[in-house]
Amino acid sequence: MMKKIVAMILALLMMTLLYIPAFAAETEKEQMQSTVLYQANQIDDPNMLMLRAELGVDERSEIVKQATNVFAETDLSKEQADLYTTTQLIRRERKTDGTIVEEYASVAVARSTGTGSSSDQETENSVTVYAMVNYKYEISSDLNMSFGISNTKHRAIYASSVTVNSLYLKNEIDNSYEQVASNSRTISSVTMGTWYTLSAPTSKLYPKASANLYAFTTAKLPGGNEANVRCVVYCNSL
């Protein structure tokens, strides 16, 4: 009888020891879960992106609009290229600790105006370049805001009569005083209309006051000419 009692006690102890880690693992799993509030497929069709850009579609939440300024830049003159931007909300979720996480895709487009005053400028103006910043924004329960790049995408569209020697891709994070992270590469054999992805320069999220996000796309043309655009997500607006 005593042996049976001892065996039962040992069995109960073993079950308890096995149960505690399983319970702890389940609790940890629950803590890691979050609630997806919104999810969308990313738009990468150039015609749809151009239409949204021309219409000025901007899906940033009000708090992100207050905290950021999204705009396009180019080295081409106003007579050579028109600039557009559009921003899509990709995902919004709420973590169990109350943190809100939003993922966005902001795109800058420099499109030909066809009004170059020389043959070189006309060549530049026949190329449309895209620069897309995919980024993440978090705001915690204590209203601390942070931003980071997920990746960037780059594209050039041009007529069959145009030669693009290479495509230079770059992304960057700076704090308005100095560069804190960057990544770049050159596509030597360019396929017209193909999106090229550049990985994030870092997985780190930066406080709003130290996070300006950039995507650069430069199409290298014969004779040293270039068609370029920069998508800027400036996070120091407030």
Side-chain angles (χ1 to χ4, degrees):
M1 177 65 73
M2 182 61 67
K3 289 183 178 180
K4 288 184 178 181
I5 294 174
V6 171
M8 290 176 64
I9 293 173
L10 289 173
L12 288 171
L13 286 172
M14 289 296 294
M15 290 176 64
T16 302
L17 290 172
L18 290 171
Y19 177 74
I20 291 174
F23 176 79
E26 184 63 28
T27 301
E28 182 178 355
K29 181 180 178 181
E30 290 176 355
Q31 290 177 345
M32 292 175 62
Q33 290 178 344
S34 60
T35 301
V36 177
L37 305 175
Y38 178 84
Q39 180 79 50
N41 293 323
Q42 185 171 32
I43 298 170
D44 59 12
D45 177 77
N47 295 322
M48 180 60 70
L49 286 175
M50 180 59 76
L51 177 61
R52 288 168 61 90
E54 290 177 334
L55 294 173
V57 176
D58 186 347
E59 297 178 351
R60 288 176 295 162
S61 60
E62 287 305 314
I63 191 169
V64 174
K65 286 182 179 179
Q66 293 174 11
T68 63
N69 185 18
V70 177
F71 55 94
E73 296 178 329
T74 183
D75 293 336
L76 300 176
S77 68
K78 293 181 179 179
E79 291 73 26
Q80 291 175 288
D82 290 328
L83 295 175
Y84 304 90
T85 61
T86 182
T87 298
Q88 180 190 7
L89 172 63
I90 306 299
R91 180 182 174 90
R92 179 185 290 119
E93 64 179 285
R94 182 176 58 247
K95 295 183 178 180
T96 53
D97 64 359
T99 299
I100 297 296
V101 181
E102 294 179 338
E103 297 178 21
Y104 290 98
S106 289
V107 186
V109 185
R111 186 177 66 178
S112 163
T113 60
T115 57
S117 58
S118 70
S119 58
D120 286 343
Q121 289 174 334
E122 288 170 1
T123 300
E124 292 175 12
N125 284 334
S126 62
V127 180
T128 300
V129 283
Y130 295 74
M132 176 190 294
V133 183
N134 291 305
Y135 56 103
K136 179 183 292 186
Y137 148 81
E138 289 190 2
I139 181 165
S140 61
S141 56
D142 56 3
L143 301 182
N144 284 325
M145 303 172 68
S146 55
F147 292 83
I149 291 178
S150 300
N151 60 53
T152 56
K153 294 183 178 180
H154 312 259
R155 183 176 193 156
I157 296 178
Y158 45 92
S160 58
S161 58
V162 175
T163 299
V164 173
N165 294 335
S166 63
L167 203 63
Y168 176 68
L169 324 177
K170 182 181 178 182
N171 56 40
E172 180 181 312
I173 301 174
D174 74 32
N175 59 12
S176 294
Y177 300 101
E178 61 182 358
Q179 176 182 289
V180 296
S182 69
N183 192 12
S184 65
R185 69 178 176 130
T186 297
I187 307 298
S188 298
S189 181
V190 182
T191 301
M192 196 279 290
T194 297
W195 282 106
Y196 295 97
T197 301
L198 188 60
S199 59
T202 176
S203 60
K204 182 178 178 180
L205 296 180
Y206 292 86
K208 180 178 73 70
S210 302
N212 299 314
L213 318 175
Y214 305 85
F216 303 77
T217 302
T218 302
K220 305 283 188 176
L221 306 165
N225 299 306
E226 297 181 351
N228 56 66
V229 70
R230 293 178 290 277
C231 184
V232 182
V233 182
Y234 185 71
C235 303
N236 280 314
S237 59
L238 287 181

